[in-house]
């Protein structure tokens, strides 16, 4: 699109994942980070959108830790490609605006609690039921994914 002069400012990367298909989190993170970097090099804004990681029944403690590792890896990949340029402007009215350049600017889960996940029921394949795909469980309690993302943000 850029080569054909089609205006494009950014890319949203939907990430509906399944722990059953991620065998090596470090390799997956490297691939995601490289893909984001490729888009940033083109001068594009990148948003990771609709992020969720399926953990179908039975979702064990080990499965939840794997899910947490995937959440952390995606967040690290985004932060590794954060915008390098940031400018601030102030209008005559005194309002301030921050403008950032190309880079990964947003990391959004597709909801926050398994209680109202779009993946509940028939959409949770291969087994219909809860998919446990979001950072908070059905009782709004944080799952290991929350701690793993907080750790990434703190470091």
């Amino acid at each position: 699109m850029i080569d054909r002069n089609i205006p494009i400012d950014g890319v949203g990367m939907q990430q509906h994942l399944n722990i059953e298909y991620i065998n090596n989190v470090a390799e997956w993170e490297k691939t995601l980070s490289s893909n984001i970097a490729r888009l940033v090099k083109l001068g594009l804004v990148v948003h990771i959108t609709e992020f969720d990681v399926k953990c179908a029944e039975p979702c064990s403690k080990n499965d939840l830790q794997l899910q947490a590792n995937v959440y952390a890896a995606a967040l690290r990949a985004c932060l590794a490609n954060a915008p390098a340029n940031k400018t601030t402007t102030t209008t005559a009215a005194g309002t301030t605006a921050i403008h950032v350049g190309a880079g990964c600017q947003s990391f959004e889960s597709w909801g926050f609690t398994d209680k109202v996940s779009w993946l509940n029921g028939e959409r949770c394949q291969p087994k219909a039921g809860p998919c446990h795909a979001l950072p908070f469980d059905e009782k709004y309690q944080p799952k290991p994914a929350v701690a793993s993302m907080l750790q990434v943000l703190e470091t």
Side-chain angles (χ1 to χ4, degrees), residues 86-91 94-100:
K86 180 168 70 170
T87 59
T88 304
T89 58
T90 304
T91 66
T95 58
T96 302
I98 298 173
H99 307 278
V100 292

Side-chain angles (χ1 to χ4, degrees), residues 45 64 83 86 88 97 100 119 131 144:
V45 169
L64 288 173
K86 180 168 70 170
T88 304
V100 292
L119 287 168
C131 256

